[in-house]
mmCIF file of all heavy atoms in Angstrom:
data_model
loop_
_atom_site.group_PDB
_atom_site.id
_atom_site.type_symbol
_atom_site.label_atom_id
_atom_site.label_comp_id
_atom_site.label_asym_id
_atom_site.label_seq_id
_atom_site.Cartn_x
_atom_site.Cartn_y
_atom_site.Cartn_z
ATOM 1 N N MET S 30 9.687 -12.145 -9.425
ATOM 2 C CA MET S 30 10.277 -11.241 -8.533
ATOM 3 C C MET S 30 10.195 -9.836 -9.149
ATOM 4 O O MET S 30 10.349 -9.627 -10.327
ATOM 5 C CB MET S 30 11.748 -11.604 -8.317
ATOM 6 C CG MET S 30 12.538 -10.601 -7.515
ATOM 7 S SD MET S 30 14.222 -10.976 -7.199
ATOM 8 C CE MET S 30 14.038 -12.394 -6.173
ATOM 9 N N THR S 33 11.587 -2.590 -6.771
ATOM 10 C CA THR S 33 11.320 -1.188 -7.056
ATOM 11 C C THR S 33 12.324 -0.321 -6.316
ATOM 12 O O THR S 33 12.751 -0.683 -5.209
ATOM 13 C CB THR S 33 9.880 -0.849 -6.558
ATOM 14 O OG1 THR S 33 9.788 -1.008 -5.147
ATOM 15 C CG2 THR S 33 8.820 -1.705 -7.233
ATOM 16 N N THR S 52 12.131 -4.888 2.421
ATOM 17 C CA THR S 52 12.386 -3.521 2.125
ATOM 18 C C THR S 52 13.730 -3.172 2.707
ATOM 19 O O THR S 52 14.097 -3.508 3.863
ATOM 20 C CB THR S 52 11.310 -2.657 2.801
ATOM 21 O OG1 THR S 52 10.039 -2.964 2.205
ATOM 22 C CG2 THR S 52 11.542 -1.184 2.534
ATOM 23 N N LYS S 64 25.568 4.951 -17.081
ATOM 24 C CA LYS S 64 26.354 5.225 -18.279
ATOM 25 C C LYS S 64 26.647 3.994 -19.069
ATOM 26 O O LYS S 64 27.358 4.022 -20.028
ATOM 27 C CB LYS S 64 27.705 5.952 -17.850
ATOM 28 C CG LYS S 64 28.684 5.071 -17.067
ATOM 29 C CD LYS S 64 29.881 5.856 -16.710
ATOM 30 C CE LYS S 64 30.860 5.063 -15.865
ATOM 31 N NZ LYS S 64 32.088 5.759 -15.614
ATOM 32 N N VAL S 69 20.698 -7.626 -18.666
ATOM 33 C CA VAL S 69 19.870 -8.485 -17.864
ATOM 34 C C VAL S 69 20.756 -9.558 -17.208
ATOM 35 O O VAL S 69 21.475 -10.314 -17.911
ATOM 36 C CB VAL S 69 18.769 -9.186 -18.733
ATOM 37 C CG1 VAL S 69 17.922 -10.164 -17.874
ATOM 38 C CG2 VAL S 69 17.899 -8.063 -19.353
ATOM 39 N N LEU S 94 7.227 4.368 -10.485
ATOM 40 C CA LEU S 94 7.407 3.502 -9.281
ATOM 41 C C LEU S 94 6.136 2.660 -9.144
ATOM 42 O O LEU S 94 5.094 3.179 -8.924
ATOM 43 C CB LEU S 94 7.618 4.395 -8.045
ATOM 44 C CG LEU S 94 7.805 3.551 -6.726
ATOM 45 C CD1 LEU S 94 8.950 2.702 -6.812
ATOM 46 C CD2 LEU S 94 7.908 4.603 -5.604
ATOM 47 N N ILE S 100 1.960 -4.427 -8.784
ATOM 48 C CA ILE S 100 2.815 -5.595 -8.928
ATOM 49 C C ILE S 100 1.961 -6.887 -8.726
ATOM 50 O O ILE S 100 2.165 -7.843 -9.487
ATOM 51 C CB ILE S 100 3.968 -5.474 -7.964
ATOM 52 C CG1 ILE S 100 4.883 -4.347 -8.437
ATOM 53 C CG2 ILE S 100 4.736 -6.830 -7.822
ATOM 54 C CD1 ILE S 100 5.972 -3.957 -7.377
#
Side-chain angles (χ1 to χ4, degrees):
M30 176 180 290
T33 64
T52 298
K64 65 180 180 178
V69 175
L94 179 61
I100 291 169

